Amino acid sequence: MANVTLEQARIMATQELEHLKSMVLTWKASYEGMAGDEGDNDFLVLEFVQEIEEYMVPFVQRMHVTDQLTDQQVSDFLDFCYGQARDLRASFNKEG
């Protein structure tokens, strides 16, 4: 029975990751909307990364510690998050 419960928790955690990805994309879009025309928007990228590190990293680490997420899932999710930060920086560099 415990295995079924763990399996259910893992399914729910995988679904939660998709929700979290959507949140990260929403944050990114918000930061893109805050960009100024002067071209010095690096502080927005730093704030975006801070949000990821303050909210997303501890959350997925807790899910990992409780065996809801595998090492690979955590790694893939964090790669996604930091990839969005790199994309945000690149979009600012194109504008500037």
Side-chain angles (χ1 to χ4, degrees):
M1 186 72 173
N3 288 340
V4 173
T5 303
L6 179 59
E7 185 61 32
Q8 289 172 339
R10 286 186 174 172
I11 290 169
M12 290 179 357
T14 300
Q15 293 168 343
E16 183 68 16
L17 282 183
E18 292 307 311
H19 178 71
L20 295 175
K21 285 181 180 180
S22 177
M23 288 177 64
V24 169
L25 291 173
T26 300
W27 291 349
K28 178 183 168 191
S30 176
Y31 282 107
E32 287 171 333
M34 288 187 262
D37 294 335
E38 61 278 355
D40 186 19
N41 294 302
D42 286 344
F43 72 98
L44 293 173
V45 177
L46 294 175
E47 287 182 16
F48 181 46
V49 169
Q50 284 178 320
E51 274 198 284
I52 290 167
E53 291 176 350
E54 184 174 345
Y55 298 106
M56 295 299 169
V57 172
F59 192 76
V60 296
Q61 285 177 336
R62 280 191 302 275
M63 289 196 302
H64 180 256
V65 167
T66 58
D67 290 327
Q68 296 174 58
L69 296 176
T70 65
D71 292 343
Q72 188 62 53
Q73 286 174 303
V74 172
S75 178
D76 290 347
F77 178 74
L78 294 178
D79 286 349
F80 168 81
C81 290
Y82 291 115
Q84 295 307 310
R86 285 188 300 275
D87 289 349
L88 182 63
R89 183 178 304 278
S91 74
F92 291 158
N93 289 337
K94 287 179 192 173
E95 295 170 6

